[in-house]
C-alpha cells in the first residue's frame, strides 16, 4: 500500500474513534448493579456536575434519596435524584413550584401544583392530580396521597364605592387522591384556612392534619390538630396547638401507632420574628396520645435547626435539620437520629446549599441508612452534550482529510496526455 495513504487512514481512524467514543458514552449502561448494602440511604452525597443529565434524558431507576440545591446549571432550586445504582440525575423545578413527594417505593416523584407524576425508572411524566392540589403525605401502601387544595380568590374585587366584594380567604379542601387515576375523595376534617402538615397512621386508616383554622390564626401562626378517619370523614378529636407547637411532619406518627409527635419550641413566636430569633429557638419533640389527643410521654430535646421528623429508627425519631446561615448557599441540610436523651447521630450529610432532603418510605420503614457514599459520574451527561463535543473534532478530521486529498492531487501533477483515437474507418487489410 502506498505510504501516502497512511495519513488519510489515520485521520479517518481518529474520526471514527471520536464518534464511537461519543456513541459509546451515551449508549453505555449506568453504574453497575450496586451491592446489597447499597440499597440504603447513602451517608453522604455531593453536588452534581453542571452537565448532569435529567431524569427525562437518562433515567437511572428508583431513588435512594432526593435533595434540592441551586448548585446546578439551572442556578435555582433543583431536585437531585441519587439512584440506588449510584447514578445522579436532575429533576428540574418549575417557576414557583415547591418540593414534591417521593413515592414509598422510590419509583415516582409527585410534583406539587401541577399534579404531574414523574416515573423515575422511565423518565416519563404524566399529569394525574387535579390542578392546584399540593401533596402533603403519601399513604404507607402507596395507593393514596393526602393533599390540600386552595380555594382562595387570586384577586380581590371592589365595587364602585371601593368596597370589597369578595372574601379571598376561603377554607381549603383536604382530599385523598389516587395518584394513578386522579380520583379524588374529600375528607371533611373541619374548617381550615390552610393545611400546614398531615400524617397517615402506620396502618393507613387514620389521618392527623394540622393548620390554622381561620385568617386570624393564619396571620398569628396558630394551628389546630385534628384526627380523622379518611374513609368515613368522621373526626375523632381535635387539639389547639397554639403558636409554639406544630405537627412534626408527614412521618409524625410513631411506628407503634399509639403516639403522634409534635415539634415544640421556646422563644420568639409569630410572624414578627427575625431569622436570627427563629434560629435561636430551643426545640423539643412532644407526643400526644393518638386515641385521645392528650399529652403523653417525656419530651425529647432536639437541636434548634430541627424542622421535621422524616422517619423513625426503631423508637428514635429521624429528624431533618437545616443549619441556618445568612446566605442560602451556605445552609446545610442533614438527617440525624435522636435518642430519648437528645443524643444526635448523623445519618446523611448533604453539601452546603442543600435546602431539603426526601427519602422513600420503604427505606425509612426499614431504617435503611448507612449506605455507601455516592459521587456523581461526570459521564452521565445528556446526548446533546456528547454530540456538541463530537462535532468540533469531526470537523477538524474532515478538514484534514480534504487537505490531505488536495495535497495528493497536487503532488501527482497533471494527468498524462494520450493520443486521440482515430476517428475514421479502419484501413483495409493488404
Amino acid at each position: 500500500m502506498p505510504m501516502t495513504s497512511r495519513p488519510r487512514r489515520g485521520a479517518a481512524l481518529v474520526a471514527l474513534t471520536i464518534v464511537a467514543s461519543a456513541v459509546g458514552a451515551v449508549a453505555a449502561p449506568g453504574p453497575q448493579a450496586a451491592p446489597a448494602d447499597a440499597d440504603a440511604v447513602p451517608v453522604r452525597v455531593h453536588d452534581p456536575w453542571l452537565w448532569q443529565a435529567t431524569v427525562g434524558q437518562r433515567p437511572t431507576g428508583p431513588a435512594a434519596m432526593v435533595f434540592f440545591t441551586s448548585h446546578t446549571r439551572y442556578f435555582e432550586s433543583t431536585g437531585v435524584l441519587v439512584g440506588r445504582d449510584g447514578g445522579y440525575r436532575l429533576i428540574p423545578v418549575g417557576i414557583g413550584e415547591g418540593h414534591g413527594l417521593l413515592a414509598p417505593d422510590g419509583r415516582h416523584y409527585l410534583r406539587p401544583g401541577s399534579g404531574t407524576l414523574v416515573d423515575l425508572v422511565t423518565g416519563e411524566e404524566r399529569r394525574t392530580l387535579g390542578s392546584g392540589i399540593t401533596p402533603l403525605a403519601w399513604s404507607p401502601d402507596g395507593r393514596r396521597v393526602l393533599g390540600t387544595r386552595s380555594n382562595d380568590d387570586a384577586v380581590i374585587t371592589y365595587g364602585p364605592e371601593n368596597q370589597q366584594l369578595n372574601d379571598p380567604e376561603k377554607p381549603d379542601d383536604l382530599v385523598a387522591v389516587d395518584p394513578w387515576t386522579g380520583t379524588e375523595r374529600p375528607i371533611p376534617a373541619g374548617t381550615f384556612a390552610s393545611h400546614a402538615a398531615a400524617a397517615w397512621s402506620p396502618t393507613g386508616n387514620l389521618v392527623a392534619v394540622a393548620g390554622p383554622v381561620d385568617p386570624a390564626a393564619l396571620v398569628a401562626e396558630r394551628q389546630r390538630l385534628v384526627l380523622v378517619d379518611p374513609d368515613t370523614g368522621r373526626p375523632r378529636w381535635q387539639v389547639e396547638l397554639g403558636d409554639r407547637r406544630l405537627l412534626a411532619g408527614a412521618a409524625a406518627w410513631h411506628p407503634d401507632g399509639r403516639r403522634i409527635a409534635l415539634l415544640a419550641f421556646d422563644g420568639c413566636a409569630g410572624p414578627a420574628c427575625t431569622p436570627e430569633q427563629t434560629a435561636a429557638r430551643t426545640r423539643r419533640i412532644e407526643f400526644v396520645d393518638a386515641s385521645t389527643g392528650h399529652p403523653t410521654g417525656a419530651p425529647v430535646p432536639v437541636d434548634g435547626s430541627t424542622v421535621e421528623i422524616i422517619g423513625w429508627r426503631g423508637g428514635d425519631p429521624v429528624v431533618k435539620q437545616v443549619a441556618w446561615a445568612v446566605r442560602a448557599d451556605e445552609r446545610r441540610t442533614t438527617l440525624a437520629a435522636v435518642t430519648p436523651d437528645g443524643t444526635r447521630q448523623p445519618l446523611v450529610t448533604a453539601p452546603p446549599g442543600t435546602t431539603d432532603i426526601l427519602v422513600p418510605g420503604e427505606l425509612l420503614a426499614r431504617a435503611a441508612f448507612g449506605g455507601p457514599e455516592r459521587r456523581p459520574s461526570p459521564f452521565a451527561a445528556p446526548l446533546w452534550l456528547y454530540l456538541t463535543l463530537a462535532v468540533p473534532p469531526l470537523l477538524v478530521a474532515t478538514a484534514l482529510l480534504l487537505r490531505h486529498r488536495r495535497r495528493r492531487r497536487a503532488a501527482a501533477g497533471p494527468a498524462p496526455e494520450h493520443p486521440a483515437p482515430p476517428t475514421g474507418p479502419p484501413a483495409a487489410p493488404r
Side-chain angles (χ1 to χ4, degrees):
M1 182 177 292
M3 294 293 292
T4 55
S5 67
R6 291 182 178 177
R8 180 180 178 183
R9 293 182 58 194
L13 182 59
V14 170
L16 289 174
T17 301
I18 292 172
V19 175
S21 300
V23 174
V26 175
Q32 297 298 315
D37 63 349
D39 192 17
V41 186
V43 296
R44 182 181 294 272
V45 292
H46 301 269
D47 282 329
W49 297 95
L50 288 179
W51 55 84
Q52 208 84 54
T54 66
V55 169
Q57 291 167 339
R58 297 183 65 180
T60 190
M65 64 176 288
V66 170
F67 66 95
F68 292 83
T69 177
S70 59
H71 295 172
T72 69
R73 63 175 178 270
Y74 299 102
F75 300 107
E76 58 185 13
S77 182
T78 306
V80 181
L81 163 71
V82 182
R84 300 189 192 185
D85 63 354
Y88 278 59
R89 298 294 186 270
L90 302 183
I91 304 177
V93 175
I95 298 176
E97 180 180 317
H99 300 166
L101 296 180
L102 268 178
D105 60 3
R107 297 175 62 90
H108 293 85
Y109 172 78
L110 186 58
R111 295 183 179 276
S114 66
T116 301
L117 195 63
V118 183
D119 190 324
L120 302 178
V121 177
T122 65
E124 298 178 352
E125 297 191 20
R126 59 191 180 97
R127 183 172 176 177
T128 59
L129 269 66
S131 177
I133 294 181
T134 300
L136 297 174
W138 213 301
S139 65
D141 59 8
R143 296 180 179 178
R144 291 178 291 179
V145 170
L146 198 65
T148 178
R149 178 190 285 112
S150 174
N151 295 315
D152 296 345
D153 293 332
V155 178
I156 301 176
T157 58
Y158 296 90
E161 297 181 2
N162 204 33
Q163 74 273 22
Q164 184 173 324
L165 299 180
N166 66 330
D167 181 7
E169 297 289 346
K170 297 180 179 178
D172 290 357
D173 295 329
L174 186 68
V175 293
V177 186
D178 184 327
W180 317 111
T181 64
T183 303
E184 300 178 14
R185 181 171 184 172
I187 300 177
T191 301
F192 281 86
S194 67
H195 303 100
W200 293 86
S201 65
T203 56
N205 64 325
L206 293 172
V207 167
V209 59
V213 297
D214 52 41
L218 180 64
V219 172
E221 297 183 355
R222 297 191 308 268
Q223 296 191 14
R224 172 184 294 170
L225 176 65
V226 176
L227 188 74
V228 62
D229 185 329
D231 294 324
T232 65
R234 185 173 62 247
R236 300 288 183 88
W237 50 256
Q238 66 181 37
V239 173
E240 300 300 328
L241 299 179
D243 58 358
R244 284 180 169 82
R245 294 192 301 168
L246 312 168
L247 184 64
W253 213 301
H254 194 279
D256 63 13
R258 298 194 298 267
R259 294 176 290 167
I260 300 172
L262 306 177
L263 189 61
F265 65 87
D266 294 319
C268 183
C273 298
T274 66
E276 292 80 6
Q277 291 173 322
T278 301
R281 293 170 175 169
T282 57
R283 299 177 185 263
R284 63 190 176 276
I285 295 173
E286 297 180 351
F287 298 94
V288 295
D289 190 301
S291 60
T292 64
H294 297 159
T296 184
V300 178
V302 292
D303 187 87
S305 62
T306 302
V307 294
E308 68 173 314
I309 295 176
I310 64 107
W312 300 82
R313 191 182 64 173
D316 297 336
V318 175
V319 298
K320 181 190 303 178
Q321 299 178 322
V322 182
W324 185 85
V326 175
R327 292 178 48 181
D329 59 356
E330 294 179 351
R331 298 174 188 174
R332 184 188 293 270
T333 301
T334 58
L335 301 183
V338 182
T339 60
D341 63 357
T343 302
R344 175 182 179 276
Q345 180 186 355
L347 298 176
V348 178
T349 301
T354 301
T355 57
D356 199 4
I357 294 177
L358 307 178
V359 178
E362 174 198 358
L363 300 184
L364 291 173
R366 295 192 286 111
F369 295 97
E373 181 176 350
R374 296 302 193 187
R375 290 185 178 273
S377 168
F379 301 106
L383 173 61
W384 60 261
L385 179 62
Y386 286 104
L387 295 178
T388 301
L389 295 176
V391 167
L394 286 174
L395 293 177
V396 171
T398 302
L400 290 175
L401 287 172
L402 295 176
R403 182 180 178 184
H404 173 66
R405 184 174 297 175
R406 288 194 299 268
R407 285 185 174 181
R408 285 190 59 194
R409 290 176 179 174
E417 295 183 2
H418 298 283
T423 57
R430 294 179 181 179

